[in-house]
Coordinates of all heavy atoms in Angstrom, one line a residue:
M1335 N 58.4 87.3 25.2 CA 59.2 88.3 24.5 C 59.6 89.5 25.4 O 60.7 89.9 25.4 CB 58.4 88.8 23.3 CG 59.1 89.8 22.4 SD 60.5 89.0 21.6 CE 60.9 90.2 20.4
A1336 N 58.6 90.0 26.2 CA 58.9 91.1 27.1 C 59.9 90.7 28.1 O 60.8 91.5 28.5 CB 57.6 91.6 27.8
L1337 N 59.9 89.5 28.6 CA 60.8 89.0 29.6 C 62.2 88.9 29.0 O 63.2 89.3 29.6 CB 60.4 87.6 30.1 CG 61.4 86.9 31.1 CD1 61.5 87.8 32.3 CD2 60.9 85.5 31.4
L1338 N 62.4 88.5 27.7 CA 63.6 88.5 27.1 C 64.2 89.9 26.9 O 65.4 90.1 27.2 CB 63.5 87.8 25.7 CG 64.8 87.8 24.8 CD1 65.8 86.9 25.5 CD2 64.5 87.2 23.5
L1339 N 63.4 90.8 26.6 CA 63.9 92.2 26.5 C 64.4 92.7 27.8 O 65.4 93.4 27.9 CB 62.8 93.1 25.9 CG 62.5 92.9 24.4 CD1 61.3 93.8 24.0 CD2 63.7 93.1 23.6
C1340 N 63.6 92.4 28.9 CA 64.0 92.8 30.2 C 65.3 92.2 30.6 O 66.2 92.9 31.2 CB 62.9 92.4 31.2 SG 63.3 92.9 32.9
L1341 N 65.5 90.9 30.3 CA 66.8 90.3 30.7 C 68.0 90.9 29.9 O 69.0 91.1 30.5 CB 66.7 88.8 30.4 CG 65.8 88.0 31.3 CD1 65.7 86.5 30.9 CD2 66.3 88.1 32.8
Q1342 N 67.8 91.2 28.7 CA 68.8 91.9 27.9 C 69.1 93.2 28.4 O 70.3 93.6 28.5 CB 68.4 91.9 26.4 CG 68.5 90.6 25.7 CD 68.1 90.7 24.3 OE1 67.5 91.6 23.8 NE2 68.5 89.6 23.5
A1343 N 68.1 94.0 28.8 CA 68.3 95.3 29.3 C 69.1 95.2 30.7 O 70.0 96.0 30.9 CB 67.0 96.0 29.6
C1344 N 68.8 94.3 31.5 CA 69.5 94.1 32.8 C 70.9 93.7 32.5 O 71.8 94.2 33.2 CB 68.8 93.0 33.6 SG 67.2 93.5 34.2
K1345 N 71.2 92.9 31.5 CA 72.5 92.5 31.2 C 73.3 93.7 30.8 O 74.5 93.9 31.2 CB 72.5 91.4 30.1 CG 73.9 90.9 29.8 CD 73.8 89.9 28.7 CE 75.3 89.4 28.4 NZ 75.3 88.5 27.3
K1346 N 72.8 94.6 30.0 CA 73.5 95.8 29.5 C 73.8 96.7 30.7 O 74.8 97.3 30.6 CB 72.6 96.5 28.5 CG 72.6 95.8 27.1 CD 71.8 96.6 26.1 CE 71.7 95.8 24.8 NZ 71.0 96.5 23.8
S1347 N 73.0 96.7 31.7 CA 73.3 97.6 32.8 C 74.5 97.2 33.6 O 75.2 97.9 34.3 CB 72.1 97.7 33.8 OG 71.9 96.4 34.4
N1348 N 74.9 95.9 33.4 CA 76.1 95.4 34.1 C 77.4 95.6 33.2 O 78.5 95.3 33.7 CB 75.9 93.9 34.4 CG 74.9 93.7 35.5 OD1 74.7 94.5 36.3 ND2 74.2 92.5 35.4
D1349 N 77.2 96.0 32.0 CA 78.4 96.2 31.1 C 79.2 97.3 31.7 O 78.8 98.1 32.5 CB 77.9 96.5 29.7 CG 77.4 95.3 29.0 OD1 77.5 94.2 29.5 OD2 76.8 95.6 27.9
I1350 N 80.4 97.4 31.1 CA 81.4 98.4 31.5 C 80.8 99.8 31.1 O 80.1 99.9 30.1 CB 82.7 98.1 30.8 CG1 83.3 96.8 31.3 CG2 83.7 99.3 31.0 CD1 84.3 96.2 30.5
S1351 N 81.1 100.8 31.9 CA 80.6 102.1 31.6 C 81.0 102.5 30.2 O 82.0 102.0 29.6 CB 81.2 103.1 32.6 OG 82.6 103.1 32.5
P1352 N 80.3 103.5 29.6 CA 80.5 103.9 28.2 C 81.9 104.4 28.0 O 82.5 104.9 28.9 CB 79.5 105.0 28.0 CG 78.5 104.9 29.1 CD 79.2 104.2 30.2
L1353 N 82.4 104.3 26.8 CA 83.7 104.8 26.4 C 83.7 106.3 26.6 O 82.8 107.0 26.2 CB 83.9 104.4 24.9 CG 85.3 104.6 24.4 CD1 86.3 103.7 25.2 CD2 85.4 104.2 22.9
P1354 N 84.8 106.8 27.2 CA 84.9 108.3 27.4 C 84.8 109.0 26.0 O 85.3 108.5 25.0 CB 86.3 108.5 28.0 CG 86.6 107.1 28.7 CD 85.9 106.1 27.8
P1355 N 84.2 110.2 26.0 CA 84.1 111.0 24.8 C 85.4 111.2 24.0 O 85.4 111.1 22.8 CB 83.5 112.3 25.3 CG 82.8 112.0 26.5 CD 83.6 110.9 27.2
S1356 N 86.5 111.5 24.7 CA 87.7 111.7 24.0 C 88.2 110.5 23.2 O 88.7 110.6 22.1 CB 88.8 112.2 25.0 OG 89.1 111.1 26.0
L1357 N 87.9 109.3 23.8 CA 88.3 108.1 23.1 C 87.3 107.8 21.9 O 87.7 107.3 20.9 CB 88.4 106.9 24.0 CG 89.5 107.1 25.1 CD1 89.6 105.9 26.1 CD2 90.9 107.4 24.5
Q1358 N 86.1 108.1 22.1 CA 85.1 108.0 21.1 C 85.5 108.8 19.9 O 85.4 108.4 18.7 CB 83.7 108.3 21.6 CG 83.1 107.4 22.5 CD 81.7 107.9 23.1 OE1 81.1 108.8 22.5 NE2 81.3 107.2 24.1
T1359 N 85.9 110.0 20.2 CA 86.3 111.0 19.1 C 87.5 110.4 18.4 O 87.6 110.5 17.2 CB 86.6 112.4 19.7 OG1 85.4 112.9 20.3 CG2 87.1 113.3 18.7
M1360 N 88.5 109.9 19.2 CA 89.7 109.4 18.6 C 89.4 108.3 17.6 O 89.9 108.3 16.5 CB 90.7 108.9 19.7 CG 91.9 108.2 19.1 SD 93.0 107.5 20.5 CE 92.0 106.2 21.0
I1361 N 88.5 107.4 18.0 CA 88.1 106.3 17.1 C 87.4 106.8 15.9 O 87.7 106.4 14.7 CB 87.2 105.3 17.9 CG1 88.0 104.5 18.9 CG2 86.5 104.4 16.9 CD1 87.2 103.7 19.9
S1362 N 86.4 107.7 16.1 CA 85.6 108.2 14.9 C 86.4 109.0 13.9 O 86.1 109.1 12.8 CB 84.4 109.0 15.4 OG 84.8 110.2 16.0
E1363 N 87.5 109.6 14.4 CA 88.4 110.4 13.5 C 89.5 109.6 12.9 O 90.3 110.1 12.1 CB 89.0 111.6 14.3 CG 87.9 112.6 14.6 CD 88.4 113.8 15.4 OE1 89.6 113.8 15.9 OE2 87.6 114.7 15.7
T1364 N 89.6 108.3 13.2 CA 90.6 107.5 12.6 C 90.3 107.2 11.1 O 89.2 106.6 10.8 CB 90.8 106.2 13.4 OG1 91.2 106.5 14.7 CG2 91.9 105.3 12.7
E1365 N 91.1 107.6 10.2 CA 90.9 107.4 8.8 C 91.9 106.4 8.2 O 91.6 105.7 7.2 CB 91.0 108.7 8.0 CG 89.9 109.7 8.4 CD 90.0 111.0 7.7 OE1 90.9 111.1 6.8 OE2 89.2 111.9 8.0
D1366 N 93.1 106.3 8.8 CA 94.1 105.4 8.2 C 94.2 104.2 9.1 O 94.6 104.2 10.2 CB 95.4 106.2 8.2 CG 96.6 105.4 7.6 OD1 96.3 104.3 7.1 OD2 97.7 105.8 7.7
C1367 N 93.9 103.0 8.5 CA 94.0 101.8 9.2 C 95.2 100.9 8.7 O 95.2 99.7 9.1 CB 92.7 101.0 8.9 SG 91.2 101.7 9.7
S1368 N 96.1 101.5 8.0 CA 97.2 100.8 7.5 C 98.1 100.1 8.6 O 98.6 99.0 8.4 CB 98.1 101.6 6.6 OG 98.6 102.7 7.3
C1369 N 98.2 100.7 9.8 CA 98.9 100.1 10.9 C 98.0 99.3 11.8 O 98.5 98.8 12.8 CB 99.7 101.2 11.6 SG 101.2 101.7 10.7
Q1370 N 96.7 99.2 11.5 CA 95.8 98.4 12.2 C 95.7 98.8 13.7 O 96.0 98.0 14.6 CB 96.1 96.9 12.1 CG 96.0 96.5 10.6 CD 96.5 95.1 10.4 OE1 97.1 94.5 11.3 NE2 96.3 94.5 9.3
P1371 N 95.3 100.0 14.0 CA 95.2 100.5 15.4 C 94.1 99.7 16.1 O 93.1 99.2 15.5 CB 94.9 102.0 15.3 CG 94.2 102.1 14.0 CD 94.9 101.1 13.1
Y1372 N 94.2 99.6 17.4 CA 93.2 99.0 18.3 C 93.2 99.8 19.6 O 94.1 100.5 20.0 CB 93.5 97.5 18.5 CG 94.7 97.2 19.3 CD1 94.7 97.1 20.7 CD2 95.9 97.1 18.7 CE1 95.8 96.8 21.4 CE2 97.1 96.8 19.4 CZ 97.0 96.7 20.8 OH 98.1 96.4 21.5
L1373 N 92.1 99.6 20.3 CA 91.9 100.1 21.7 C 91.3 99.0 22.6 O 90.3 98.4 22.2 CB 90.9 101.3 21.7 CG 90.8 102.0 23.0 CD1 92.1 102.8 23.4 CD2 89.6 103.0 22.9
S1374 N 92.0 98.7 23.7 CA 91.6 97.6 24.6 C 91.5 98.2 26.0 O 92.2 99.1 26.3 CB 92.6 96.5 24.6 OG 92.6 95.8 23.4
L1375 N 90.7 97.6 26.8 CA 90.5 98.0 28.2 C 91.1 96.9 29.0 O 90.9 95.7 28.8 CB 89.0 98.1 28.5 CG 88.6 98.4 30.0 CD1 89.2 99.8 30.4 CD2 87.1 98.4 30.1
Y1376 N 91.9 97.4 30.0 CA 92.6 96.5 30.9 C 92.3 96.9 32.4 O 92.0 98.0 32.7 CB 94.1 96.6 30.7 CG 94.6 95.9 29.5 CD1 94.6 96.6 28.3 CD2 95.1 94.6 29.5 CE1 95.1 96.0 27.1 CE2 95.6 94.0 28.4 CZ 95.6 94.7 27.2 OH 96.0 94.1 26.0
E1377 N 92.5 95.9 33.3 CA 92.5 96.2 34.7 C 94.0 96.2 35.1 O 94.7 95.2 34.8 CB 91.8 95.1 35.5 CG 90.3 95.2 35.4 CD 89.7 96.3 36.3 OE1 90.3 96.8 37.2 OE2 88.6 96.7 35.9
W1378 N 94.5 97.3 35.7 CA 95.9 97.4 36.0 C 96.1 98.1 37.3 O 95.6 99.2 37.5 CB 96.6 98.2 34.9 CG 98.0 98.5 35.1 CD1 99.1 97.6 35.0 CD2 98.6 99.7 35.4 NE1 100.3 98.2 35.3 CE2 100.0 99.5 35.5 CE3 98.1 101.0 35.5 CZ2 100.9 100.6 35.7 CZ3 99.0 102.0 35.8 CH2 100.4 101.8 35.9
K1379 N 96.6 97.4 38.3 CA 96.9 98.0 39.6 C 95.6 98.6 40.2 O 95.6 99.7 40.7 CB 98.0 99.0 39.6 CG 99.3 98.3 39.2 CD 100.5 99.3 39.2 CE 101.8 98.6 38.9 NZ 102.9 99.5 39.0
G1380 N 94.5 97.9 40.1 CA 93.2 98.4 40.6 C 92.5 99.5 39.8 O 91.6 100.1 40.3
R1381 N 93.0 99.8 38.7 CA 92.5 100.8 37.8 C 92.1 100.2 36.5 O 92.6 99.3 36.0 CB 93.5 101.9 37.6 CG 94.0 102.5 38.8 CD 95.2 103.4 38.5 NE 94.8 104.6 37.8 CZ 95.6 105.6 37.4 NH1 96.9 105.5 37.7 NH2 95.2 106.6 36.7
R1382 N 91.2 101.0 35.8 CA 90.8 100.6 34.4 C 91.7 101.5 33.5 O 91.7 102.7 33.7 CB 89.3 100.9 34.1 CG 88.5 99.9 34.9 CD 87.0 100.2 34.6 NE 86.2 99.3 35.4 CZ 85.5 98.3 35.0 NH1 85.4 98.1 33.7 NH2 84.8 97.5 35.8
V1383 N 92.4 100.9 32.6 CA 93.3 101.6 31.7 C 93.0 101.2 30.3 O 92.9 100.0 30.0 CB 94.8 101.3 32.1 CG1 95.7 101.9 31.1 CG2 95.1 101.7 33.5
Y1384 N 92.9 102.1 29.4 CA 92.7 101.9 28.0 C 94.1 101.9 27.3 O 94.9 102.8 27.6 CB 91.8 103.0 27.3 CG 90.4 102.9 27.8 CD1 90.0 103.7 28.8 CD2 89.5 102.1 27.2 CE1 88.7 103.7 29.3 CE2 88.2 102.0 27.6 CZ 87.8 102.9 28.6 OH 86.5 102.8 29.1
L1385 N 94.4 101.0 26.5 CA 95.6 100.9 25.7 C 95.3 101.0 24.3 O 94.6 100.3 23.7 CB 96.3 99.6 26.0 CG 97.5 99.2 25.1 CD1 98.7 100.1 25.3 CD2 97.9 97.7 25.3
K1386 N 96.0 102.0 23.6 CA 95.9 102.1 22.2 C 97.2 101.6 21.6 O 98.3 102.0 22.1 CB 95.7 103.6 21.7 CG 95.6 103.7 20.2 CD 95.5 105.1 19.7 CE 95.4 105.1 18.2 NZ 95.4 106.4 17.6
G1387 N 97.1 100.6 20.7 CA 98.3 100.1 20.1 C 98.0 99.8 18.6 O 97.0 100.2 18.1
F1388 N 99.0 99.1 18.0 CA 98.9 98.8 16.6 C 99.3 97.4 16.3 O 100.3 96.9 17.0 CB 99.7 99.8 15.8 CG 99.3 101.2 16.0 CD1 99.8 102.0 17.0 CD2 98.4 101.8 15.1 CE1 99.4 103.3 17.2 CE2 98.0 103.1 15.2 CZ 98.5 103.9 16.3
T1389 N 98.7 96.7 15.4 CA 99.1 95.4 15.1 C 99.8 95.2 13.7 O 100.2 94.1 13.4 CB 97.9 94.4 15.2 OG1 96.9 94.8 14.2 CG2 97.4 94.3 16.6
G1390 N 99.9 96.3 13.0 CA 100.5 96.2 11.7 C 102.0 95.8 11.8 O 102.7 96.4 12.5
P1391 N 102.4 94.8 11.0 CA 103.7 94.2 11.2 C 104.9 95.2 10.8 O 106.0 95.1 11.3 CB 103.7 93.0 10.3 CG 102.6 93.2 9.3 CD 101.6 94.1 10.0
A1392 N 104.6 96.1 9.9 CA 105.7 97.0 9.5 C 105.6 98.4 10.2 O 106.3 99.3 9.7 CB 105.6 97.2 8.0
C1393 N 104.9 98.5 11.3 CA 104.7 99.8 11.9 C 105.5 99.9 13.2 O 105.5 99.0 14.0 CB 103.2 100.0 12.2 SG 102.2 100.0 10.7
N1394 N 106.1 101.0 13.3 CA 106.9 101.3 14.5 C 106.0 102.2 15.4 O 105.6 103.3 14.9 CB 108.2 102.0 14.1 CG 109.1 102.2 15.3 OD1 108.9 101.7 16.4 ND2 110.2 103.0 15.1
W1395 N 105.8 101.9 16.6 CA 104.8 102.6 17.5 C 105.2 102.5 18.9 O 105.9 101.7 19.4 CB 103.4 102.1 17.2 CG 103.2 100.7 17.5 CD1 103.4 99.6 16.7 CD2 102.6 100.1 18.7 NE1 103.1 98.4 17.3 CE2 102.6 98.7 18.6 CE3 102.2 100.7 19.9 CZ2 102.1 97.9 19.6 CZ3 101.7 99.8 20.9 CH2 101.7 98.5 20.7
V1396 N 104.6 103.4 19.7 CA 104.7 103.5 21.1 C 103.3 103.4 21.7 O 102.4 104.1 21.2 CB 105.4 104.8 21.6 CG1 105.4 105.0 23.1 CG2 106.8 105.0 21.0
P1397 N 103.1 102.5 22.7 CA 101.7 102.4 23.3 C 101.3 103.7 23.9 O 102.1 104.5 24.4 CB 101.9 101.3 24.3 CG 103.3 101.2 24.6 CD 104.1 101.7 23.4
A1398 N 100.0 103.9 23.8 CA 99.4 105.1 24.5 C 98.4 104.6 25.5 O 97.6 103.7 25.2 CB 98.6 106.0 23.4
Y1399 N 98.5 105.1 26.7 CA 97.6 104.7 27.8 C 96.7 105.8 28.2 O 97.1 107.0 28.2 CB 98.5 104.3 29.0 CG 99.5 103.2 28.7 CD1 100.9 103.6 28.4 CD2 99.2 101.9 28.8 CE1 101.8 102.6 28.1 CE2 100.2 100.9 28.5 CZ 101.5 101.3 28.2 OH 102.4 100.3 27.9
Y1400 N 95.5 105.4 28.6 CA 94.5 106.4 29.0 C 93.7 105.9 30.2 O 93.5 104.7 30.4 CB 93.4 106.6 27.9 CG 94.0 107.1 26.6 CD1 94.5 106.2 25.6 CD2 94.2 108.4 26.3 CE1 95.0 106.6 24.4 CE2 94.8 108.9 25.1 CZ 95.2 107.9 24.2 OH 95.8 108.3 23.0
D1401 N 93.4 106.8 31.1 CA 92.7 106.4 32.3 C 91.2 106.2 32.0 O 90.8 106.4 30.9 CB 92.9 107.5 33.5 CG 92.2 108.8 33.2 OD1 91.4 109.0 32.3 OD2 92.6 109.8 33.9
E1402 N 90.4 105.9 33.0 CA 89.0 105.6 32.8 C 88.2 106.8 32.3 O 87.0 106.7 31.9 CB 88.3 105.1 34.1 CG 88.4 106.0 35.3 CD 89.7 106.0 36.1 OE1 90.6 105.3 35.7 OE2 89.7 106.7 37.2
H1403 N 88.8 108.0 32.4 CA 88.1 109.2 31.9 C 88.6 109.6 30.5 O 88.2 110.6 30.0 CB 88.3 110.4 32.8 CG 87.9 110.1 34.2 ND1 86.5 109.9 34.6 CD2 88.6 109.8 35.4 CE1 86.5 109.6 35.9 NE2 87.7 109.6 36.4
G1404 N 89.5 108.8 29.9 CA 90.0 109.1 28.6 C 91.2 110.1 28.6 O 91.6 110.5 27.6
Q1405 N 91.7 110.4 29.8 CA 92.9 111.3 29.9 C 94.2 110.5 29.7 O 94.3 109.3 30.3 CB 92.9 112.0 31.2 CG 91.6 112.9 31.5 CD 91.5 113.9 30.4 OE1 92.4 114.6 30.1 NE2 90.3 114.0 29.8
P1406 N 95.2 111.0 29.1 CA 96.4 110.3 28.9 C 97.1 110.0 30.2 O 97.1 110.8 31.1 CB 97.3 111.2 28.1 CG 96.3 112.2 27.4 CD 95.1 112.3 28.4
L1407 N 97.6 108.8 30.3 CA 98.4 108.3 31.4 C 99.9 108.3 31.0 O 100.2 107.7 30.0 CB 98.0 106.9 31.9 CG 96.8 106.8 32.7 CD1 96.5 105.3 32.9 CD2 96.9 107.4 34.0
M1408 N 100.7 108.9 31.8 CA 102.2 108.9 31.5 C 102.8 107.8 32.3 O 102.7 107.7 33.5 CB 102.8 110.2 31.8 CG 102.3 111.4 30.9 SD 102.7 111.0 29.2 CE 101.7 112.2 28.4
M1409 N 103.5 106.9 31.6 CA 104.3 105.8 32.2 C 105.7 106.3 32.3 O 106.2 107.0 31.4 CB 104.1 104.5 31.5 CG 102.7 104.0 31.3 SD 102.0 103.5 32.9 CE 100.6 102.7 32.4
I1410 N 106.5 105.8 33.2 CA 107.9 106.1 33.3 C 108.6 105.6 32.0 O 108.1 104.6 31.4 CB 108.6 105.6 34.6 CG1 108.5 104.1 34.7 CG2 108.0 106.3 35.8 CD1 109.3 103.5 35.8
A1411 N 109.6 106.2 31.6 CA 110.2 105.9 30.3 C 110.7 104.5 30.2 O 110.8 103.9 29.1 CB 111.4 106.9 30.1
T1412 N 111.1 103.9 31.3 CA 111.6 102.5 31.3 C 110.5 101.4 31.4 O 110.8 100.3 31.3 CB 112.6 102.3 32.5 OG1 112.0 102.6 33.7 CG2 113.8 103.2 32.3
Y1413 N 109.3 101.8 31.6 CA 108.2 100.9 31.7 C 107.8 100.4 30.3 O 107.4 101.2 29.5 CB 107.0 101.5 32.4 CG 105.9 100.6 32.8 CD1 106.1 99.7 33.9 CD2 104.7 100.5 32.2 CE1 105.2 98.8 34.3 CE2 103.7 99.6 32.6 CZ 104.0 98.8 33.6 OH 103.0 97.9 34.0
T1414 N 107.8 99.1 30.1 CA 107.6 98.6 28.8 C 106.2 98.1 28.6 O 105.5 97.8 29.6 CB 108.6 97.4 28.4 OG1 108.3 96.3 29.3 CG2 110.0 97.9 28.6
L1415 N 105.7 97.9 27.4 CA 104.4 97.3 27.1 C 104.4 95.9 27.6 O 103.4 95.5 28.2 CB 104.2 97.3 25.6 CG 102.9 96.7 25.1 CD1 101.7 97.3 25.7 CD2 102.8 96.7 23.6
D1416 N 105.5 95.2 27.5 CA 105.5 93.8 28.0 C 105.2 93.8 29.5 O 104.5 92.9 30.0 CB 106.8 93.1 27.7 CG 106.9 92.7 26.2 OD1 105.9 92.6 25.6 OD2 108.1 92.6 25.8
Q1417 N 105.8 94.7 30.3 CA 105.6 94.8 31.7 C 104.1 95.1 32.0 O 103.5 94.5 32.9 CB 106.4 95.9 32.3 CG 107.9 95.5 32.4 CD 108.7 96.7 32.9 OE1 108.8 97.7 32.3 NE2 109.3 96.6 34.1
F1418 N 103.5 96.1 31.2 CA 102.1 96.4 31.4 C 101.3 95.2 31.2 O 100.4 94.9 32.0 CB 101.7 97.5 30.5 CG 100.3 97.8 30.5 CD1 99.7 98.6 31.5 CD2 99.4 97.3 29.6 CE1 98.4 98.9 31.6 CE2 98.0 97.6 29.6 CZ 97.5 98.4 30.6
L1419 N 101.5 94.4 30.1 CA 100.7 93.3 29.8 C 100.8 92.2 30.8 O 99.9 91.5 31.1 CB 101.1 92.7 28.4 CG 100.7 93.7 27.2 CD1 101.3 93.1 25.9 CD2 99.3 94.0 27.2
A1420 N 102.0 92.0 31.4 CA 102.3 91.0 32.5 C 101.5 91.4 33.8 O 101.1 90.5 34.5 CB 103.8 90.8 32.7
E1421 N 101.4 92.7 34.0 CA 100.8 93.2 35.3 C 99.3 93.5 35.2 O 98.7 93.9 36.2 CB 101.6 94.4 35.7 CG 103.0 94.2 36.1 CD 103.7 95.5 36.4 OE1 103.1 96.6 36.3 OE2 104.9 95.4 36.8
S1422 N 98.8 93.3 34.0 CA 97.4 93.7 33.8 C 96.6 92.5 33.3 O 97.1 91.5 33.0 CB 97.3 94.9 32.8 OG 97.7 94.4 31.6
K1423 N 95.3 92.7 33.3 CA 94.3 91.7 32.8 C 93.5 92.4 31.8 O 92.8 93.4 32.0 CB 93.4 91.2 34.0 CG 92.4 90.2 33.5 CD 91.6 89.7 34.7 CE 90.5 88.8 34.1 NZ 89.5 88.4 35.1
L1424 N 93.4 91.7 30.6 CA 92.6 92.2 29.5 C 91.1 92.1 29.9 O 90.7 91.0 30.2 CB 92.9 91.5 28.2 CG 92.0 91.8 27.0 CD1 92.2 93.3 26.6 CD2 92.2 90.9 25.9
V1425 N 90.4 93.2 29.9 CA 88.9 93.1 30.1 C 88.2 92.9 28.8 O 87.4 91.9 28.7 CB 88.4 94.5 30.8 CG1 86.9 94.4 30.9 CG2 89.1 94.7 32.1
K1426 N 88.5 93.7 27.8 CA 87.9 93.4 26.5 C 88.6 94.3 25.4 O 89.1 95.4 25.7 CB 86.4 93.6 26.5 CG 85.9 95.0 26.6 CD 84.4 95.0 26.6 CE 83.8 96.3 26.1 NZ 82.4 96.3 25.9
L1427 N 88.5 93.9 24.2 CA 88.9 94.6 23.0 C 87.8 95.6 22.8 O 86.6 95.2 22.6 CB 89.2 93.7 21.8 CG 89.5 94.5 20.5 CD1 90.8 95.2 20.6 CD2 89.5 93.5 19.4
I1428 N 88.0 96.9 22.7 CA 87.0 97.9 22.5 C 86.8 98.1 21.0 O 85.7 98.2 20.6 CB 87.4 99.2 23.2 CG1 87.6 99.0 24.7 CG2 86.4 100.3 22.9 CD1 86.4 98.7 25.5
W1429 N 87.9 98.2 20.3 CA 87.8 98.6 18.9 C 89.1 98.2 18.2 O 90.2 98.2 18.8 CB 87.6 100.2 18.8 CG 87.9 100.8 17.5 CD1 87.0 100.8 16.4 CD2 89.1 101.5 17.1 NE1 87.6 101.5 15.4 CE2 88.9 101.9 15.8 CE3 90.3 101.8 17.7 CZ2 89.8 102.6 15.0 CZ3 91.3 102.5 17.0 CH2 91.0 102.9 15.6
E1430 N 89.0 97.9 16.9 CA 90.1 97.6 16.1 C 89.8 98.1 14.7 O 88.7 98.0 14.2 CB 90.6 96.2 16.1 CG 89.6 95.2 15.6 CD 90.1 93.8 15.8 OE1 91.3 93.5 15.9 OE2 89.2 92.9 15.8
C1431 N 90.8 98.7 14.0 CA 90.6 99.2 12.6 C 91.4 98.3 11.7 O 92.7 98.2 11.9 CB 91.1 100.6 12.6 SG 90.8 101.5 11.1
R1432 N 90.8 97.7 10.8 CA 91.5 96.8 9.8 C 91.1 97.1 8.4 O 90.1 97.5 8.1 CB 91.1 95.3 10.1 CG 91.6 94.9 11.5 CD 91.6 93.4 11.6 NE 92.1 93.1 12.9 CZ 93.3 92.7 13.2 NH1 94.2 92.6 12.2 NH2 93.7 92.4 14.4

């Protein structure tokens, strides 16, 4: 049993660093799930980038990008979500509100 706990603890130490406080706050303060918001972590151009998007079919939205510290990243106006997705690799889905 102790060996199993040790192995699980070691596995957790290899996990991705904790979610930045600003993104934790954003998630905890989300009350409206009608547009089904989500937050995913990507590897993009050698950086870790969080993407906040929505999956609700009737919702009009613009993606929001955040750096590894939870600070907003500004993309040039002509850079599309499709370009980002083609140039990046999904690391994991962090959160979704349904």
Side-chain angles (χ1 to χ4, degrees):
M1335 181 71 166
L1337 179 60
L1338 180 61
L1339 292 174
C1340 181
L1341 289 175
Q1342 287 179 341
C1344 293
K1345 184 178 178 186
K1346 289 182 181 179
S1347 68
N1348 293 331
D1349 286 350
I1350 297 163
S1351 59
L1353 192 61
S1356 61
L1357 298 179
Q1358 290 177 15
T1359 300
M1360 177 182 68
I1361 289 170
S1362 68
E1363 292 178 351
T1364 300
E1365 294 179 4
D1366 182 9
C1367 291
S1368 59
C1369 284
Q1370 301 171 346
Y1372 67 90
L1373 184 69
S1374 293
L1375 177 61
Y1376 287 85
E1377 285 286 337
W1378 177 72
K1379 297 185 178 185
R1381 303 171 66 179
R1382 291 180 186 250
V1383 175
Y1384 293 95
L1385 167 67
K1386 181 181 180 190
F1388 299 86
T1389 58
C1393 298
N1394 187 12
W1395 59 278
V1396 175
Y1399 304 95
Y1400 302 91
D1401 68 14
E1402 62 273 7
H1403 305 291
Q1405 299 301 311
L1407 283 175
M1408 295 299 167
M1409 302 293 191
I1410 59 172
T1412 57
Y1413 192 73
T1414 67
L1415 176 59
D1416 287 338
Q1417 287 174 294
F1418 175 81
L1419 295 174
E1421 296 175 354
S1422 63
K1423 179 182 175 188
L1424 176 64
V1425 175
K1426 71 180 205 175
L1427 174 67
I1428 303 292
W1429 165 80
E1430 60 186 338
C1431 184
R1432 296 197 180 260

